[in-house]
Structure formats: structure tokens, C-alpha cells
Amino acid sequence: MIHITLGKMRYIKPDQDGLGRDHVGWDPHMDDAALFRANRGCWVLGERADREQYALLSAEGTVRQAIEIDRLVQVPGGRRAIEGRYLEAGHPVYDAYVGKPQPIAPVRNPVTYFDSPHAARTCGCGCGAPVTLGWFLTGHDQKALHDRVAKVGTVHQFIDWFDRTYVEEPRAMASRITTIARHTNARTVCSAHGAAAECGALVADVVLEDAGSNHIEWAVCERWFRDNRDAATWRSRNPEEAALLGL
Ligand SMILES: [Zn+2]
Ligand SMILES: [Zn+2]
């Protein structure tokens, strides 16, 4: 399992960040979605990380979030970011770690690894055997792959079929804003920056989706609306709605 130690929330420049974020780190008022978004990158992740299924985020000695990893993606600057989702109560990894003291002694490097008995899953080939590191028992990935090739025919026929069929999907990981409207929801703390930032008046409600969730409701300060890259994209695409906000 990957263990990542977070510092206190701090501001960064979106145009200098591989994920376009304006803040990173931990603050007690961040909800799960905000914590995931602020900290799923940009980390130095070695080869071992590619075989891990879960990551824990800890701050001030306590595990704050458990993440199930779908894949690791390269970000500008040579670091990597996690694509996946944060876990909730009821998942064995969440229940084993979140809210409890961090499972490893503090070290200088923010990224470390440890063996966890809670990380077991069944082999990706469908044989039912448990695996704790990676997706397959040794050799079972080759069998699973060749079973699929055989369904199409020879390797040559498989490659032909693949090249005709495969369409590359754009994999934009930034959040997609659904709506931005005048602030009326019940939130009293800026969702983008957390309470520690003392953002001042909340000016807008934002509904968005991202890698972590397909419906997130935020309330944000004017600075977010002005500086955030996704907000700028939304303004340019929705000039009339943006004008109505009067910001
Ligand atoms: Zn297997
Ligand atoms: Zn704010």
C-alpha cells in the first residue's frame, strides 16, 4: 500500500502545477472530494507504486483518506498522479485505517510503501485466488490476455481487429463544471480553499464532476471564481450566465 504524508494546506500557482490546482495539503475543513482533488498528485512514485491498489493520505499522524487506485498518470514535471476514487466507511481498507494513527513511523520522504493484509483482492483473470500486490497471480495476466486474443483468432488477427476498433478517449482529468450560480446553498466555508484560508464572502455555488465523483456541490469565494482554470474555461463558454453573476 502507498502511504503519503500531507502537510498543512498551502496555496500554489495553478499555472505552475501539473494538475492546475491552486492549493494542496490538508485542512480539517476539507471534505473528502476536496482532499482527493488537492492531493492525488503530484508525487514521485516509483515502480512499486504501479503494483499497488490503494493509497492512504495522512496528516498530523492520522490517516485522513484511503484511495482505490485505477491507474497512475504522468503529469508535467516528471511526477505522477493517482486516478481512482476515495473510499468510504464499509470498505475494508477504509475501516482498517481512516481516522486511526498512521500505520508507519513518520519518515522524511512523503511517499512510502508498506505491506497491508487489507489490500487483498482476487486475481484479475477470474481464477478467484487472492493477490495482495498487483492485479494478477504470476503468469495469470498472460493467460487472461491470450484467452482474449484466442477469442478473436491469431495474434495477427487480434492486432488487426484491435487497430480497427480502438478509439483513444481524451483523458482530461480536470473537473468539469456543470453549473455556477449565485450562492444560496447551506455551505458557510469556501469548498475550494477550506476554513483555514478565511476566504471571506462566498459568492457562488458550483456543481461539478471529476475523477472522484460525478456530483459535487461547492460554495466558493470570489478568488476561486477569478483564478481557477476550470472557472475561467466555464466563463469563456458561458458568457451570459457568467455576466448574470455580476462577479
Ligand atoms: Zn488468476
Ligand atoms: Zn476560497
Side-chain angles (χ1 to χ4, degrees):
M1 197 170 289
I2 303 174
H3 182 270
I4 300 174
T5 305
L6 305 177
K8 277 198 197 320
M9 194 201 75
R10 64 189 171 84
Y11 290 106
I12 56 175
K13 293 203 161 71
D15 58 358
Q16 291 173 14
D17 178 61
L19 293 169
R21 299 165 298 181
D22 63 2
H23 65 288
V24 297
W26 178 78
D27 170 272
H29 296 90
M30 279 175 157
D31 63 16
D32 284 336
L35 189 62
F36 178 67
R37 195 174 309 105
N39 296 295
R40 68 185 186 84
C42 303
W43 302 107
V44 177
L45 295 170
E47 268 180 43
R48 170 154 181 183
D50 293 300
R51 291 174 294 155
E52 298 288 355
Q53 308 154 28
Y54 301 100
L56 302 180
L57 303 181
S58 293
E60 297 183 353
T62 299
V63 178
R64 307 295 176 176
Q65 187 161 81
I67 295 167
E68 185 173 20
I69 301 168
D70 285 338
R71 65 185 76 82
L72 303 172
V73 293
Q74 213 71 42
V75 294
R79 296 185 171 212
R80 294 202 283 174
I82 297 170
E83 287 184 7
R85 70 205 58 76
Y86 56 84
L87 300 173
E88 293 178 356
H91 189 286
V93 172
Y94 180 104
D95 294 346
Y97 296 108
V98 176
K100 298 177 181 166
Q102 66 177 56
I104 55 161
V107 287
R108 205 179 163 82
N109 192 331
V111 178
T112 49
Y113 303 90
F114 70 103
D115 290 318
S116 166
H118 302 284
R121 64 178 157 205
T122 54
C123 176
C125 87
C127 71
V131 287
T132 54
L133 192 60
W135 295 88
F136 298 95
L137 285 186
T138 306
H140 289 212
D141 51 345
Q142 289 302 313
K143 185 182 179 306
L145 188 59
H146 286 289
D147 284 352
R148 282 158 180 77
V149 170
K151 284 191 178 171
V152 175
T154 64
V155 170
H156 181 241
Q157 286 168 328
F158 177 83
I159 290 171
D160 263 359
W161 168 82
F162 182 89
D163 288 349
R164 274 184 280 111
T165 309
Y166 182 71
V167 180
E168 200 155 347
E169 282 179 37
R171 209 188 272 161
M173 286 307 301
S175 54
R176 281 177 299 280
I177 292 169
T178 314
T179 61
I180 301 180
R182 248 178 231 286
H183 175 55
T184 56
N185 72 22
R187 289 177 181 271
T188 56
V189 169
C190 174
S191 307
H193 304 121
E198 296 180 350
C199 289
L202 301 178
V203 297
D205 292 349
V206 181
V207 177
L208 51 86
E209 59 178 293
D210 72 0
S213 167
N214 56 19
H215 188 91
I216 299 160
E217 287 188 29
W218 274 14
V220 295
C221 66
E222 186 166 4
R223 192 166 66 81
W224 180 89
F225 186 76
R226 197 178 56 230
D227 295 349
N228 182 272
R229 198 167 65 178
D230 295 329
T233 305
W234 180 86
R235 281 201 308 276
S236 66
R237 287 181 187 163
N238 302 275
E240 287 168 20
E241 288 169 56
L244 285 175
L245 285 171
L247 293 171

